[in-house]
Amino acid sequence: MAHVLVVYTDDEPGVLTRVASLIRRRGFNIHSLTVGPTERAGLSRMTIVVDAEAPTVRQAVEHLRKLVNVLAVEQLGDRPMVVRDLVLVRVAANPEVRSEVLQLAQVFRANVVDIAEDSVVIECTGSLAKIDALVDSMRPFGILELGRTGAVAMARGTRTPAPSRAPVPLRTGTGPEAMSV
Amino acid sequence: MSEPGSFTGAQLIWESLLREGVDTVFGYPGGAILPTYDAMTGYTIRHVLVRHEQSAVHMADGFARASGRVGVVVATSGPGATNLVTGLATAMLDSTPLVAITGQVGSALLGTDAFQEVDITGITIPVTKHNYLVTRAEDIVPAIREAFAVARSGRPGPVLVDITKDAQQARASLDWEAAAPQRHLRHIPPTPKPADLARALDLIRQAKRPVILAGHGIQLSGARAEVIALAERADIPFALTLLGLGAVPATHPLSLGMMGMHGEAWVNRAIQEADLLLAFGMRFDDRVTGKLKDYAPHAKKIHIDIDASELNKNVSVDVAIAADLGAVLRALLPEVPVADRSAWLSTIREWRGDSAVRDIKNLPDDGHLYAAHVMHDLWRLTKGEAVVVTDVGQHQMWEAQYYKHDGERSLVTSGGAGTMGFALPAAIGAKLARPEAEVWVVAGDGGFQMTFAELMTAVQEGVKVNIAIINNGYLGMVRQWQALFYEGRYAATPILSPDFVKLAEAFGIPGQRVERRGELAAAVAKAREAQGAALIEFKVEQEDSVYPMVPAGAALHEMIRRPSALAETGSDPV
C-alpha cells in the first residue's frame, strides 16, 4: 500500500544521497521521491511515496528521523491531503486523429504544450489516479515519450507544516553546488 | 574570537580536539593529511602510530568502549581512508562513539580521480552516523564540534570528517562559541508518555515469570545502578546479551548469564517460558532471539531503547519506549512494587539441573587442555577484575561463558559486526584509556594473524597488554558449523600458525606456550609480571565445539546441549 511521507531536510550537498542510501540499504520500496526548496532558505522538502506495509513505513520514518540532516518527517496517511503529480506525454497524433487527442486532453483539463507534424506533447497536473487515467486514455494512439515528476503532497486544512526547530545548516562543502541536493 | 586568520586549518583541528578533551589519537600519516601531522608537533596530544589504519579504528574503539570517552582516529586520503571502513562498521553496529578525521586531496582536485583520491564520505554513509566533507578552513571547527556531539548523543556511533588539504593549509580564526552544535539536538527522543510508564508498571505488577534482558544500552546510558535496583526490588532475574556482559554483575544472585545462540540452556528456557520480558538497551538481534516466530511466545514485552528505530523492528512489543534507559528507570523505580518471585527463581534453578555436571570446567583434568579451562582459570587468577578484549569466534563465546564479568566496561568485544582481528588493537586502545586496568587479549589463532603487526605498536608505545592466543589449528567457529551443518567438510578452515613464541621474541616480547592445564597458572603469573606486553599461546583441543548452541534459524529452546561424554572422547562427538 502507498504511504506518503513528507521529509524536511537541510538544503545541503549530499542530503539526497543520504536519504536514498538509507532507503536502499533498508530495502524500502520507493514509488516516487521528489525534492525542492521551500518557503524558507536552507530548508528542502521531500515527498516520498513508499510502497509498503504500515510497520515497514514506521521503520522508514524512524530511520529517516535519525539522519542529522533531517529536521522532521511527517506521515500524511492519516489526514486529508492534496497529492499532485505532473506528466509530460508525447502522443503520436497525425492530422487524422489530432482533434480526437486534443479533445481527450481537454476532458482531463490537460494543456497541449507542443504540436509537431505527427505528435503532440500534453502536460497535465493532478492526482496520481488522474494522471494514470490520462496516460491510459492516450495509449491507443501511441505514447512516444513520457515523463512524470512524482508526487508532491501537502496536508489540507490549517496547520504549520514547517518543523518547529529552525534549521541550522552547517556550512560545509559550500560552493556553487551548495544549493543542490 | 581569535584574530582573523590566526590559525591554519591544521591547527584548528588540534585546537578542536583539545577542547573536546582529547588526549590520545590513533593514526597513520600520509600526503593529504601531512599539514595536520606537521601541526601536531605544537600540541600535547599523544599520537599512537599504528601499523594499519583498520587497527587505528579498533584502537579508538577499544579506547572508547573501555572508558566511555570518544575515540579519535586520524588517517590520510585514499587507501588510508578506505582502510577505516571495517573499523567504522564495527563501531557503528556496536554503538561506539568515534570521530575519524581523514585528509582529502585539495578541493580543486575533488572529483578528478587525483592521486589517493577516494570518495570516503560517499563510501562511509552507511557505516557512520554522519560524515562531513570540509573544503574551507573556517568550516573545520563547526564540523569537528558537531561530529563529537553527534558521536556522543542519542545512540552513540562513529562520525567521519574528511578535510581537504587546502582547508588544512588555509588560515582562519577560531570562534569556539559560535561553532556550538545544535543539529544533534533535533533527534533527542521525547520524554516517555505517562501512559506508557503506567502500562509498563501494570505489566510488571501482573508478571509471575518476568525476565530482564540486559543489553549494551545499560552501559551507554550509565543505568547500571537503576537496573540492579529494579531487579532487586521486583525480584526479577536478568539475562544478558553478549555486549551486556559486565553491564550488570555476572555474580549477582539474580544474574542468569548470557542468552542466545551460545547462552546456557536454562537462560534461554527462562526467556521462552517467561510471561514478561523487560528489554533494556538491547535490540533483539537474531543471535539472541533465534527463530522469531517462536520467540518467547507467552511473554508480554516492554522494550526501552534510546533508538526508536529499534522498537518493534524484529519483535513486536506491548510497551515501546524510546528514551534514555536511566531516565525511564528513575521514573519507574519508586512505583515498582516490591515483590517476591522466589517460586519463579527456584524453577529456573531446577532447570539448571545437570548443566553444572555437563559443564566442561568442572570435569577432571584428563590431560587435554580445553579453551573453557583457560577462560575459567584466567577468571579465577585475575579475580575477575581484568578488562578482557576478545576477538571473534569460538574463544569469544567461551570467554563469554566462563569469564564472569562483574565490572562495567570489563569486556570489549565485536558483537554486531563480528570483526576478526579486533582484539589486539582494541586492547591497546583499552589499556591506553585505562592504564590502571589489567588488560587481557583473548584471540584465536586465525584472528590474531589478521592484525598481529600491532604487537610492534604495543612495544613502541610501551603498552602493557597480556595476550592469550587460543590455538586450535582451525578457524574454529567456522569448523564447528562445518561439522554440524556441512557434514564435516572442513573447507579452508585448517590454518597454520607461525611459532607464536618465536614471533613474540621477534617483537621483543616474552612468549610462552601452554599445552597442559597444570602449566597454566605459572604462565599467567609470568605474563602478568612482565614489564611490557606478554604473550601466551594455549595449544587447546583442536576439534572442541561451543555448546550449548541454538542452530541458526531454530527456536531458542531448540538447543544442541553440551554432550556429557565430551571429556572421555576428547573430541567432537558430531
Side-chain angles (χ1 to χ4, degrees):
Chain A
M1 159 168 191
H3 295 260
V4 181
L5 306 179
V6 173
V7 184
Y8 292 92
T9 71
D10 295 321
D11 184 358
E12 207 180 276
V15 175
L16 183 58
T17 311
R18 291 177 200 282
V19 171
S21 166
L22 167 70
I23 283 164
R24 175 195 59 77
R25 186 163 59 95
R26 300 285 176 184
F28 304 129
N29 205 358
I30 283 202
H31 186 267
S32 73
L33 188 158
T34 64
V35 58
T38 61
E39 73 280 6
R40 201 188 288 168
L43 185 69
S44 293
R45 187 180 190 279
M46 295 183 187
T47 304
I48 306 178
V49 181
V50 194
D51 202 4
E53 298 303 313
T56 310
V57 176
R58 251 200 323 272
Q59 276 290 306
V61 169
E62 293 304 342
H63 280 294
L64 285 166
R65 283 192 176 132
K66 282 163 64 175
L67 294 179
V68 169
N69 291 117
V70 169
L71 285 86
V73 184
E74 291 168 1
Q75 198 178 332
L76 294 190
D78 49 356
R79 61 168 78 100
M81 59 178 154
V82 187
V83 183
R84 289 293 176 268
D85 196 359
L86 182 144
V87 68
L88 289 176
V89 55
R90 190 188 307 275
V91 183
N94 56 35
E96 272 173 45
V97 296
R98 187 181 287 161
S99 62
E100 200 180 337
V101 170
L102 297 185
Q103 234 172 0
L104 260 175
Q106 225 166 20
V107 173
F108 286 93
R109 290 185 202 154
N111 302 318
V112 176
V113 291
D114 187 46
I115 296 186
E117 206 170 301
D118 55 357
S119 67
V120 296
V121 176
I122 294 168
E123 170 210 308
C124 184
T125 307
S127 68
L128 304 180
K130 175 181 162 181
I131 304 296
D132 287 344
L134 169 75
V135 171
D136 285 344
S137 73
M138 294 298 166
R139 235 180 263 286
F141 303 100
I143 291 176
L144 303 175
E145 193 179 352
L146 185 148
R148 288 172 76 154
T149 57
V152 177
M154 199 171 276
R156 292 181 187 273
T158 319
R159 55 195 291 275
T160 46
S164 54
R165 243 185 276 274
V168 193
L170 183 77
R171 287 162 52 209
T172 56
T174 46
E177 78 282 27
M179 282 305 291
S180 64
V181 281
Chain B
M1 190 171 122
S2 68
E3 291 297 309
S6 47
F7 292 93
T8 63
Q11 287 172 319
L12 289 172
I13 293 172
W14 296 110
E15 293 286 339
S16 303
L17 295 180
L18 269 182
R19 282 169 174 74
E20 290 292 348
V22 175
D23 55 23
T24 308
V25 302
F26 304 89
Y28 205 100
I33 194 71
L34 203 43
T36 297
Y37 271 87
D38 186 50
M40 182 174 81
T41 52
Y43 293 86
T44 55
I45 293 176
R46 176 177 188 174
H47 179 272
V48 175
L49 176 66
V50 299
R51 297 301 182 271
H52 188 286
E53 289 90 350
Q54 179 181 336
S55 295
V57 198
H58 293 332
M59 281 183 206
D61 194 332
F63 182 95
R65 294 192 207 211
S67 65
R69 299 165 62 191
V70 179
V72 179
V73 182
V74 182
T76 194
S77 65
T82 55
N83 279 346
L84 302 180
V85 172
T86 301
L88 292 171
T90 306
M92 185 73 176
L93 279 159
D94 287 350
S95 313
T96 305
L98 292 186
V99 171
I101 292 169
T102 48
Q104 180 56 282
V105 301
S107 54
L109 294 172
L110 281 174
T112 67
D113 300 330
F115 177 66
Q116 292 195 332
E117 186 201 359
V118 152
D119 174 19
I120 197 62
T121 45
I123 287 173
T124 57
I125 283 176
V127 294
T128 54
K129 273 186 85 176
H130 192 60
N131 61 27
Y132 304 83
L133 172 60
V134 180
T135 58
R136 307 189 313 173
E138 54 267 43
D139 295 334
I140 288 175
V141 176
I144 293 180
R145 269 200 92 169
E146 189 175 271
F148 274 84
V150 170
R152 284 191 192 106
S153 60
R155 178 177 176 177
V159 181
L160 181 135
V161 187
D162 195 30
I163 306 176
T164 59
K165 193 169 184 180
D166 52 321
Q168 298 167 50
Q169 290 164 326
R171 302 193 77 88
S173 55
L174 172 60
D175 192 347
W176 188 251
E177 288 318 311
Q182 293 173 50
R183 298 197 299 187
H184 67 292
L185 300 172
R186 285 173 177 170
H187 308 295
I188 299 298
T191 46
K193 295 190 202 89
D196 285 339
L197 296 178
R199 175 101 176 100
L201 283 167
D202 268 353
L203 292 178
I204 295 172
R205 249 181 239 117
Q206 288 158 20
K208 300 227 164 12
R209 302 186 308 279
V211 176
I212 290 171
L213 307 179
H216 189 34
I218 296 171
Q219 279 183 149
L220 296 172
S221 165
R224 177 187 178 92
E226 288 82 353
V227 173
I228 295 172
L230 186 136
E232 289 176 351
R233 195 176 160 91
D235 208 17
I236 303 177
F238 42 81
L240 298 99
T241 68
L242 176 65
L243 291 192
L245 298 178
V248 280
T251 54
H252 191 285
L254 287 168
S255 171
L256 299 178
M258 185 170 71
M259 65 178 98
M261 183 174 272
H262 293 295
E264 294 298 337
W266 72 84
V267 186
N268 288 339
R269 184 155 181 203
I271 292 169
Q272 290 301 78
E273 307 263 333
D275 64 357
L276 176 66
L277 296 180
L278 300 103
F280 292 164
M282 54 85 72
R283 59 188 177 93
F284 292 107
D285 179 77
D286 58 86
R287 285 295 185 271
V288 310
T289 61
K291 191 171 161 195
L292 279 173
K293 196 168 71 65
D294 299 326
Y295 181 68
H298 318 293
K300 300 274 187 193
K301 294 164 189 93
I302 301 169
H303 192 182
I304 307 173
D305 197 285
I306 199 158
D307 183 351
S309 70
E310 291 295 352
L311 305 173
N312 289 308
K313 182 176 86 174
N314 297 335
V315 170
S316 313
V317 300
D318 300 274
V319 179
I321 300 177
D324 174 63
L325 177 65
V328 176
L329 294 185
R330 282 190 290 279
L332 281 178
L333 257 176
E335 311 292 327
V336 172
V338 175
D340 174 4
R341 293 192 166 89
S342 46
W344 169 230
L345 294 170
S346 66
T347 303
I348 298 174
R349 258 193 304 278
E350 277 166 35
W351 290 337
R352 281 175 101 124
D354 64 344
S355 297
V357 184
R358 289 163 178 263
D359 200 327
I360 194 162
K361 73 169 196 283
N362 292 329
L363 293 173
D365 187 351
D366 61 354
H368 296 275
L369 182 64
Y370 290 97
H373 292 148
V374 180
M375 304 306 166
H376 177 72
D377 292 354
L378 196 59
W379 169 62
R380 283 217 334 245
L381 293 166
T382 58
K383 301 190 177 67
E385 289 166 358
V387 172
V388 183
V389 185
T390 80
D391 220 80
V392 170
Q394 285 186 316
H395 70 275
Q396 180 187 30
M397 293 299 112
W398 280 314
E399 199 282 344
Q401 291 178 339
Y402 293 105
Y403 197 104
K404 309 289 179 206
H405 288 278
D406 282 336
E408 268 193 294
R409 302 183 180 280
S410 63
L411 171 62
V412 174
T413 192
S414 168
T419 304
M420 287 175 70
F422 175 80
L424 176 61
I428 293 171
K431 179 68 180 177
L432 286 166
R434 282 167 59 186
E436 80 297 344
E438 176 179 355
V439 176
W440 276 87
V441 173
V442 173
D445 43 327
F448 189 74
Q449 289 189 66
M450 284 192 171
T451 51
F452 72 68
E454 303 304 333
L455 281 174
M456 212 57 235
T457 307
V459 172
Q460 185 168 350
E461 295 290 329
V463 178
K464 162 72 177 157
V465 288
N466 301 316
I467 299 157
I469 299 174
I470 310 301
N471 185 356
N472 58 8
Y474 283 103
L475 302 176
M477 188 58 95
V478 181
R479 186 210 58 77
Q480 176 172 342
W481 282 55
Q482 288 170 331
L484 292 172
F485 312 120
Y486 294 86
E487 296 165 357
R489 290 184 296 276
Y490 291 172
T493 42
I495 183 169
L496 286 181
S497 289
D499 181 327
F500 285 118
V501 175
K502 282 188 184 160
L503 182 84
E505 280 163 12
F507 283 96
I509 290 172
Q512 306 174 75
R513 183 171 295 117
V514 170
E515 300 186 50
R516 308 185 68 82
R517 195 173 183 183
E519 307 159 359
L520 196 154
V524 167
K526 205 168 152 195
R528 295 173 83 187
E529 281 159 19
Q531 281 291 309
L535 182 151
I536 309 172
E537 176 195 12
F538 293 94
K539 300 272 273 187
V540 299
E541 198 57 41
Q542 289 208 295
E543 299 196 18
D544 191 7
S545 289
V546 181
Y547 296 109
M549 180 182 191
V550 181
L556 208 51
H557 57 275
E558 295 166 358
M559 306 199 78
I560 304 172
R561 297 291 302 275
R562 233 178 235 118
S564 52
L566 192 63
E568 276 87 53
T569 64
S571 67
D572 209 320
V574 178

